[in-house]
Amino acid sequence: MSAHDNHDHASHGSVASYLVGFVLAAVLTIIPFWAVMAGNLSPLATGLTVVITAVLQVLVHLKFFLHLDSSKGQRMNVAVGLFTVLVIAIIVVGTLWVMWNMNYFMMH
């Protein structure tokens, strides 16, 4: 019995799952690139396209390349990831709020 027999082995995915992830990531890169380069969409629609595909691409990378899911072994990793997203969101929203207030009160 080796020392590794007592540990759960993490799933590293199959070639098929990596290919699916790669194709999804490529498509989610091409879509916003096309939206910006073609210039057919309004600035708001282009911005929304870029943001939505960016969020989807993060989810694709977490699922297919980092293998994060709702299994018991990954719950702590998912919790830490969600906490990190929360902290970053607080910092970004707080910074935007402070900067908007500074601009508003200094210009009016």
Side-chain angles (χ1 to χ4, degrees), residues 2-87:
S2 70
H4 298 296
D5 290 339
N6 294 333
H7 300 289
D8 291 333
H9 295 289
S11 171
H12 293 292
S14 65
V15 173
S17 71
Y18 280 117
L19 285 174
V20 168
F22 175 74
V23 169
L24 287 174
V27 168
L28 290 171
T29 300
I30 292 168
I31 291 171
F33 184 78
W34 168 83
V36 170
M37 294 303 290
N40 296 335
L41 302 175
S42 69
L44 177 63
T46 302
L48 285 175
T49 301
V50 170
V51 169
I52 290 170
T53 55
V55 170
L56 290 174
Q57 188 150 149
V58 167
L59 295 175
V60 165
H61 282 264
L62 288 174
K63 171 76 173 146
F64 290 100
F65 301 121
L66 296 177
H67 310 294
L68 289 183
D69 54 19
S70 60
S71 67
K72 189 173 182 178
Q74 294 292 327
R75 286 187 188 149
M76 192 55 136
N77 290 336
V78 172
V80 169
L82 290 175
F83 180 72
T84 302
V85 168
L86 175 67
V87 169

Side-chain angles (χ1 to χ4, degrees), residues 92-107:
V92 169
V93 170
T95 300
L96 292 173
W97 178 53
V98 167
M99 296 303 282
W100 184 87
N101 277 316
M102 286 177 55
N103 181 49
Y104 179 79
F105 288 115
M106 291 179 76
M107 298 296 170

